[in-house]
Amino acid sequence: MKRKYACLLTAIICYGMSFQQAYALPNIVYHPPLEAMQGRSLSINATITDPGSSLIQVRLFFRTSGTLGYRVQVMTAAGYNYKGQIPGSVVLSKGIEYYIAARNQAGEIRTSPVLNAANAPHYVVVRKAARAPVVRLLAPEEGAWLTPQEAVMVVAIDAGRSRPDLSTLKVILDGKDVTNQARISETMVSYVPSKELSEGKHKLQVKVRNLDGVAAESAPWYFTISRSGKPESRTEEWKEEPAKALRKFSGSLGTEVQYAALTREPKSTLYLSRPAGWLIRQNLNWAGKVGALDMLGAIFLTDEETPGQQPVNRVSLEIFDESFNFTAGDIYPVFSDYSISNIFVRGGSLTLTSGRPDKAYSKFQALGGMTRVPIEGRFDAAGTFEQWLWGTQWFYNFMPGTGFSLNFSTINDYANSIEEDGGSLPANNHVATSEGRVKINLAPSFSSTIYGEYGLSYYDEAQNLLTLSIGDAFRGGTRWEWGNRSSMDIQYRHTGANYVSLANDWLIGDWEGLAGNAQVYLLDDTLALLANMEMWSDNLDGQKTLTYVDAAGTSVTAGTTRTTYFSGMINYTLSNLIPNLSAGYSFNSQQDDSQPGSVIDNQTSVLNLGVGIQLLLDSDQVLTNISLSQTQYRDLAQDKLSANMDFLSLQCSLIYLRGRNWSFTGGYGLTRSIGDYTGVTLTAVATSSLVEKQTIDYHSINLLANWKAWPGKLDLGLGWENLSGQDDTELVENNLSTISLNSTYYFSSAQSLSLSLMNISYSDRISDINSYGEFVTSLHYGLNF
Amino acid sequence: MYNKLIVLTVILLLTAFSAVPAFAKPGTAVKSKAEKGIGTLFVKNGQVELLRSGKMKWIKAQKGILLFEGDRIKTRELARAAVILDDGSIIRLNENSDLLFKVKQAKKQKRLKLLLGHLWAKIKKLDRGQELEIETPSAVAAIKGTELELKVLPDGKVQLVVWDGLVDFFNSHGKVVVRASQESTSAKDQIPGEPQKANLESRDQWFGSVVAIPSSKTLKLKIKDKDGKEQKLDIKYK
């Protein structure tokens, strides 16, 4: 009897955990910044946890607001912290749009923003960087002859619309930094030498950046100290310092060596933040000229790459001018929605353009390389990436917004996964699409565009025409644009059952439906209203069967012909205000038409509220963000696989910049997950239905203090982060705590050495085999050239 | 659930809004590096004192000290001082003078107040829309880029001498325009006097001597005689 109960209990726990896994999407904690600076890269840091299964990859999609295609980047992980960087070339005055997508091993994707992220992404206002500060010498006059007693140096700083960043101020007399002895204010700096200056010529120089990071460096000023004053007959020849020759290349080099030691070895490595042992990361970025062409290069090398993972080692080299672009390394080509999109390629791309985008414009692009998509069924084998992609595009615009493109792509799967691994990837998949658009300018800032794309895909698995499979797809719609960046888009999409485009790994086939979205910005972009609607149905035509266990414990197989999906959302933001407010509501539902009754019948609604405040207090600055979201999931198919779940999330963050040497960051997050699994049945063997409720609380706290202990020479940082989860059914009780200490020593403005120590402790009181302790030591050397 | 959410949201918003005045600290008088210096004391001969804005106690002013809005600077007997403003203008103070750096009312306005004594100012040419006014007990001198002298006389009258440029000299009773090589005198409750020709050559050019004096009280000079031989000359003074 006891054994029977034990079996039942085990079954319940296993079911509870598997159920939890099925619904446990990755959890993204991310607070968008209030603004970005034009031309400056923007760092995106998110904390992402995945209670169900380990994350495969986190991607950052970004674009300049008003452009169509997203660029993508794989975010790098350090524990739960994921980092990405939007390059400065994208950060333009129109603003930046981006979203984060995390995918786990179960193939589930969670995005931030939560719903419809691609159409309603995060938006960050981009502010023009203020001009460089102007530094003027007020006293002594250039070339003056002074007695030692007259040596009072006074400098005026005019930072324009911005403010000077006094932590970057340097007063240099005869090559020696005397900043610490200077009297400093935002507009004036004075320096009186503590000892009499020696007779002879002296050089004074002042450097400062503004809060936008724009640097100003005064030309060197010269004056002469003489006890006898300026001799009447003497003329001094001021020798200008030879101007430094412009360097042909500039960039940065970084080398990081990490060693992770296990202080407590787990029996399961499921939650281990990183494997024990050595890890090396090398980073080189440079920009320069090759003849008349510009050149950009980036190399990121590490020994972290593993089969089944997207590229970690990254190399890219770009040589370009206005009409020519050659890129080698990791590229992310985008042709169109139905041809090449959403896929990484490691290879090369050549683009030739003629004309300018604001006039008649044509572009030809040819690319080829190895796709970075793991081959189905071969995740653990070496040589996982065995697909090669070739593609060409010819794009022609008769005038801005009006033109066409022809796209062609082929993917060869040398892994031959269908034959060898029971996969579903065809050996050779070809896709050809044509896309056209006509833009009509109805008024100076009001236009309408009609667009469409038609695509054909074909593959012949056995290469004998008997296995030839052809599919087609179509999408068409209209887009209205007005004002600075308001728009409305309505699109119909149809993807045929046999249409396969392996060059867009997130393309959903065999669907049709309508999508519409509108973004309306009012009051000089201060007030934004974003609305989105999608209505889709998959046309399975009776091909699909679903098997489930009904309330009586009987296994039932039902056929479906159509699943409809509907979603809508509205977002409301008030920016440029104190406080910054945002609110959003989204809704989606899914329903199938299987008989008897629906197997899929659920609704999800999400309500978001956010408040952000930025305050300037003399030299101090305070930034706070509070966001609240409530997600409600209701499964209406109560007698099938069903559950009701609620998520309530509160996230608070505070950044306090104290003077010019201290910064404090703190954050608290609470996510409460309330599950009601009423009506769930286990298996045909366990005939009794279960009534189970589970509430899990996830708390996250982080505190970080940074101190410029020796300004310009030594920075110190101390951080603590704690993530914990606990439920009321004794299935979840874990805690992850990280303490880190960072120190950076600057040998000069070009060279630095950082030492970072991090202690990670994970305890899982339910499954102690997962508990571990890890101590990570990291040494990083950086060189700017 | 929604009711709880609404209550929580209202609390959060109220907290957020109530935080604004708590953080803002209007009218704070704390001196910090972030404050905007408007001048620097760059010559100090004799006893020069400084009263910081919002403070009650005069302190000894040191050479190189930064001056902020609301500060007052005072020269004692036989003392002289020179202040360089953030636009490069220079103000020299004669002995027994008291100058206040007033809090400006408009962004492009700069206003000084000569409470007592005698000053000479060489004002850099101002940008369009910028104003520099020196207030005195009986009139205001609005300066548009010039050299001038202002002296508060023992009887409360104020004498303005314009060495170069143009000055609007006014009070609540009226205004006169004083041009180069002219002078005017104002008294309380009277329109400033009609500008008269000033005899500049006969005036005491005290401001030319507002230079740094060696603290060692010995000026050591090296000179070359007619044979080219270097000779040392020490001048001692009190």
Side-chain angles (χ1 to χ4, degrees):
Chain A
M1 192 66 175
K2 275 184 184 175
R3 196 171 169 180
K4 195 175 174 184
Y5 278 123
C7 286
L8 183 60
L9 186 63
T10 308
I12 291 169
I13 291 171
C14 288
Y15 177 76
M17 292 182 78
S18 64
F19 193 86
Q20 182 192 330
Q21 183 163 324
Y23 285 94
L25 286 166
N27 185 30
I28 303 177
V29 179
Y30 174 67
H31 303 287
L34 293 177
E35 62 179 24
M37 203 57 61
Q38 186 172 335
R40 303 233 146 215
S41 60
L42 176 68
S43 289
I44 305 293
N45 299 312
T47 303
I48 303 175
T49 55
D50 182 17
S53 58
S54 61
L55 284 170
I56 284 184
Q57 194 184 72
V58 180
R59 291 179 180 184
L60 172 66
F61 293 81
F62 57 91
R63 66 183 178 192
T64 305
S65 187
T67 58
L68 289 177
Y70 282 99
R71 290 170 67 181
V72 75
Q73 190 181 90
V74 176
M75 297 178 80
T76 54
Y80 286 113
N81 297 317
Y82 285 77
K83 291 182 183 176
Q85 197 163 49
I86 299 175
S89 56
V90 179
V91 184
L92 303 178
S93 59
K94 282 187 165 185
I96 325 162
E97 293 175 338
Y98 63 95
Y99 64 95
I100 299 165
R103 184 157 57 168
N104 64 15
Q105 279 183 346
E108 295 158 323
I109 297 167
R110 167 61 66 92
T111 59
S112 171
V114 176
L115 279 184
N116 205 6
N119 289 321
H122 291 301
Y123 173 74
V124 173
V125 173
V126 173
R127 191 162 65 79
K128 271 191 178 173
R131 62 158 171 80
V134 176
V135 182
R136 287 180 301 126
L137 181 69
L138 300 180
E141 287 181 8
E142 167 79 55
W145 285 74
L146 307 170
T147 62
Q149 292 71 34
E150 290 173 326
V152 179
M153 281 145 263
V154 185
V155 171
I157 303 169
D158 176 7
R161 285 187 296 114
S162 183
R163 297 165 62 192
D165 179 359
L166 297 179
S167 66
T168 64
L169 181 87
K170 291 260 180 281
V171 182
I172 300 160
L173 181 65
D174 300 328
K176 190 181 166 193
D177 187 348
V178 295
T179 313
N180 287 340
Q181 298 161 47
R183 294 181 172 94
I184 297 167
S185 80
E186 284 201 354
T187 47
M188 291 189 91
V189 176
S190 72
Y191 169 64
V192 181
S194 53
K195 292 178 185 171
E196 281 192 358
L197 293 179
S198 60
E199 286 193 294
K201 189 170 150 188
H202 294 270
K203 182 171 95 171
L204 176 69
Q205 203 166 13
V206 175
K207 299 175 184 178
V208 69
R209 287 176 185 269
N210 64 15
L211 288 178
D212 298 346
V214 183
E217 183 173 331
S218 72
W221 293 302
Y222 295 95
F223 59 92
T224 302
I225 295 291
S226 168
R227 293 183 186 283
S228 52
K230 185 178 181 181
E232 291 297 327
S233 58
R234 189 169 161 188
T235 54
E236 178 77 8
E237 286 182 10
W238 298 105
K239 287 180 186 167
E240 289 293 325
E241 286 196 345
K244 285 179 186 169
L246 281 174
R247 288 198 195 97
K248 211 163 184 182
F249 288 95
S250 62
S252 64
L253 171 73
T255 299
E256 185 176 3
V257 180
Q258 267 191 26
Y259 183 75
L262 288 172
T263 52
R264 180 182 175 186
E265 193 155 354
K267 290 178 182 164
S268 155
T269 55
L270 191 62
Y271 295 105
L272 200 59
S273 69
R274 53 146 294 182
W278 292 96
L279 186 152
I280 298 171
R281 292 174 178 150
Q282 317 248 30
N283 203 337
L284 174 65
N285 293 286
W286 74 94
K289 285 266 183 191
V290 181
L293 298 171
D294 290 302
M295 180 192 226
L296 285 174
I299 298 174
F300 180 74
L301 298 176
T302 174
D303 51 3
E304 291 166 273
E305 190 160 21
T306 54
Q309 198 177 28
Q310 292 290 338
V312 176
N313 279 329
R314 287 190 288 278
V315 179
S316 71
L317 176 71
E318 195 174 351
I319 299 172
F320 60 99
D321 67 4
E322 285 182 357
S323 58
F324 171 87
N325 184 302
F326 172 74
T327 306
D330 289 313
I331 55 177
Y332 184 74
V334 177
F335 283 2
S336 70
D337 281 14
Y338 281 175
S339 56
I340 300 179
S341 185
N342 279 320
I343 193 164
F344 267 111
V345 176
R346 182 167 287 178
S349 160
L350 177 69
T351 306
L352 303 171
T353 54
S354 168
R356 283 169 33 186
D358 59 342
K359 294 183 178 168
Y361 176 67
S362 68
K363 181 178 85 172
F364 173 77
Q365 187 176 4
L367 59 96
M370 183 176 269
T371 70
R372 308 303 289 179
V373 177
I375 302 301
E376 196 175 351
R378 300 188 65 176
F379 287 107
D380 300 324
T384 301
F385 310 108
E386 291 185 60
Q387 291 182 35
W388 285 84
L389 168 75
W390 288 267
T392 55
Q393 182 190 42
W394 181 45
F395 175 100
Y396 186 75
N397 256 10
F398 303 101
M399 60 182 82
T402 299
F404 68 91
S405 64
L406 300 174
N407 314 301
F408 185 79
S409 66
T410 294
I411 285 190
N412 286 333
D413 172 23
Y414 290 109
N416 212 0
S417 71
I418 291 182
E419 281 188 13
E420 294 184 6
D421 301 298
S424 59
L425 298 176
N428 289 286
N429 182 65
H430 310 280
V431 171
T433 77
S434 61
E435 193 183 15
R437 63 215 150 260
V438 177
K439 185 174 184 178
I440 304 161
N441 290 315
L442 301 166
S445 59
F446 181 50
S447 67
S448 170
T449 304
I450 300 165
Y451 59 87
E453 181 179 11
Y454 181 74
L456 277 173
S457 77
Y458 65 98
Y459 60 89
D460 186 2
E461 193 58 44
Q463 306 282 327
N464 59 8
L465 295 179
L466 296 174
T467 52
L468 183 69
S469 174
I470 300 176
D472 70 339
F474 168 78
R475 71 186 179 98
T478 177
R479 180 177 175 85
W480 301 77
E481 293 169 281
W482 67 95
N484 195 14
R485 58 194 182 98
S486 296
S487 67
M488 186 174 74
D489 201 325
I490 297 173
Q491 187 180 105
Y492 170 78
R493 295 176 83 114
H494 167 86
T495 321
N498 295 324
Y499 189 79
V500 179
S501 174
L502 298 175
N504 182 346
D505 66 339
W506 288 6
L507 183 73
I508 301 167
D510 200 17
W511 278 53
E512 70 176 340
L514 276 173
N517 67 70
Q519 306 177 45
V520 182
Y521 294 87
L522 303 167
L523 304 174
D524 197 20
D525 289 2
T526 299
L527 171 64
L529 292 169
L530 310 176
N532 185 70
M533 182 277 294
E534 285 183 53
M535 203 156 60
W536 302 107
S537 62
D538 64 356
N539 302 302
L540 299 168
D541 297 332
Q543 299 170 39
K544 189 171 180 179
T545 55
L546 292 172
T547 302
Y548 64 95
V549 179
D550 70 9
T554 309
S555 182
V556 178
T557 300
T560 65
T561 58
R562 177 166 293 214
T563 306
T564 56
Y565 169 79
F566 173 78
S567 82
M569 72 175 296
I570 186 160
N571 263 340
Y572 169 87
T573 54
L574 272 171
S575 55
N576 304 332
L577 287 180
I578 296 176
N580 177 303
L581 299 173
S582 68
Y585 177 74
S586 60
F587 172 83
N588 72 52
S589 72
Q590 290 185 78
Q591 192 172 37
D592 72 344
D593 62 350
S594 60
Q595 293 296 328
S598 296
V599 177
I600 301 167
D601 188 358
N602 57 50
Q603 294 174 352
T604 308
S605 65
V606 180
L607 180 68
N608 288 300
L609 292 165
V611 182
I613 301 171
Q614 183 176 13
L615 295 173
L616 290 173
L617 318 169
D618 285 344
S619 59
D620 301 344
Q621 202 172 354
V622 177
L623 298 102
T624 63
N625 263 304
I626 301 167
S627 65
L628 187 69
S629 78
Q630 198 248 358
T631 305
Q632 197 177 60
Y633 174 84
R634 293 287 174 268
D635 191 340
L636 305 177
Q638 287 290 332
D639 58 338
K640 314 295 182 314
L641 279 172
S642 64
N644 294 328
M645 300 189 79
D646 289 290
F647 297 93
L648 187 66
S649 172
L650 170 71
Q651 308 293 337
C652 310
S653 69
L654 176 78
I655 299 171
Y656 177 44
L657 306 175
R658 171 83 182 151
R660 55 180 187 164
N661 291 333
W662 284 93
S663 74
F664 302 93
T665 308
Y668 172 73
L670 166 65
T671 302
R672 169 164 288 187
S673 152
I674 304 164
D676 177 358
Y677 311 128
T678 307
V680 167
T681 54
L682 280 176
T683 63
V685 180
T687 53
S688 60
S689 61
L690 288 174
V691 176
E692 189 178 338
K693 294 187 178 185
Q694 187 187 31
T695 300
I696 313 175
D697 282 346
Y698 296 101
H699 297 268
S700 69
I701 304 173
N702 63 73
L703 295 168
L704 178 68
N706 277 310
W707 178 36
K708 289 182 187 296
W710 183 5
K713 281 287 179 192
L714 182 66
D715 291 353
L716 296 174
L718 182 64
W720 174 68
E721 185 179 27
N722 198 76
L723 295 169
S724 64
Q726 187 163 20
D727 76 340
D728 57 353
T729 60
E730 297 186 354
L731 286 172
V732 176
E733 191 175 352
N734 53 38
N735 189 79
L736 176 73
S737 178
T738 306
I739 298 172
S740 58
L741 177 68
N742 299 295
S743 61
T744 303
Y745 181 77
Y746 300 92
F747 298 101
S748 65
S749 57
Q751 285 189 79
S752 66
L753 186 68
S754 302
L755 175 68
S756 164
L757 306 172
M758 188 162 61
N759 189 66
I760 305 162
S761 170
Y762 178 74
S763 69
D764 189 336
R765 292 187 190 167
I766 306 298
S767 301
D768 196 45
I769 56 167
N770 295 323
S771 300
Y772 71 90
E774 196 168 30
F775 190 83
V776 182
T777 307
S778 172
L779 196 64
H780 180 272
Y781 171 76
L783 171 69
N784 295 320
F785 57 90
Chain B
M1 178 56 78
Y2 275 105
N3 288 341
K4 281 184 188 172
L5 193 67
I6 289 164
V7 170
L8 188 54
T9 307
V10 170
I11 292 170
L12 281 172
L13 290 174
L14 288 174
T15 311
F17 278 108
S18 64
V20 175
F23 279 118
K25 288 186 193 167
T28 177
V30 177
K31 287 273 178 285
S32 73
K33 284 169 182 169
E35 208 168 343
K36 294 179 177 175
I38 57 172
T40 302
L41 178 68
F42 85 110
V43 176
K44 172 184 134 352
N45 294 337
Q47 195 177 346
V48 180
E49 294 177 344
L50 172 69
L51 181 66
R52 285 287 189 205
S53 171
K55 303 283 178 186
M56 301 295 287
K57 194 178 173 187
W58 287 88
I59 56 171
K60 280 187 180 175
Q62 292 176 329
K63 197 162 63 173
I65 202 162
L66 295 179
L67 303 166
F68 300 89
E69 284 181 357
D71 289 352
R72 265 170 83 181
I73 195 159
K74 190 158 76 176
T75 51
R76 294 286 187 185
E77 200 170 347
L78 298 176
R80 283 172 182 170
V83 171
I84 190 161
L85 300 182
D86 57 357
D87 62 356
S89 300
I90 294 171
I91 293 177
R92 298 182 197 273
L93 285 177
N94 207 344
E95 62 178 338
N96 294 323
S97 297
D98 190 346
L99 182 69
L100 167 68
F101 295 83
K102 291 190 75 171
V103 176
K104 61 186 174 187
Q105 304 299 315
K107 197 176 177 184
K108 291 191 167 180
Q109 185 196 53
K110 203 171 285 167
R111 208 170 165 106
L112 310 176
K113 185 167 185 177
L114 181 66
L115 300 162
L116 203 67
H118 191 180
L119 70 71
W120 174 89
K122 183 172 185 177
I123 307 301
K124 289 268 178 184
K125 193 167 184 186
L126 300 172
D127 291 339
R128 200 171 185 180
Q130 282 196 323
E131 289 177 30
L132 173 65
E133 292 181 348
I134 304 179
E135 203 178 316
T136 68
S138 61
V140 177
I143 302 156
K144 296 181 168 70
T146 194
E147 277 182 56
L148 72 134
E149 250 185 292
L150 272 169
K151 189 173 186 179
V152 181
L153 301 170
D155 58 0
K157 289 182 179 174
V158 174
Q159 184 188 38
L160 166 71
V161 180
V162 178
W163 288 70
D164 191 18
L166 190 78
V167 176
D168 285 344
F169 197 41
F170 64 94
N171 58 20
S172 56
H173 301 283
K175 181 178 95 169
V176 294
V177 178
V178 187
R179 298 174 191 281
S181 302
Q182 288 186 337
E183 62 179 309
S184 170
T185 303
S186 72
K188 272 187 181 174
D189 307 325
Q190 286 178 20
I191 187 168
E194 276 301 311
Q196 307 289 325
K197 188 168 170 49
N199 188 357
L200 299 180
E201 287 177 4
S202 65
R203 290 192 67 82
D204 174 17
Q205 296 191 16
W206 58 273
F207 43 83
S209 65
V210 186
V211 293
I213 295 173
S215 54
S216 64
K217 297 191 176 178
T218 305
L219 185 61
K220 295 186 176 184
L221 300 175
K222 285 179 187 173
I223 54 174
K224 287 181 180 174
D225 60 19
K226 59 183 179 182
D227 301 327
K229 212 173 177 184
E230 196 170 81
Q231 302 287 343
K232 287 183 180 174
L233 174 66
D234 289 358
I235 302 171
K236 291 190 178 177
Y237 55 93
K238 289 180 183 177

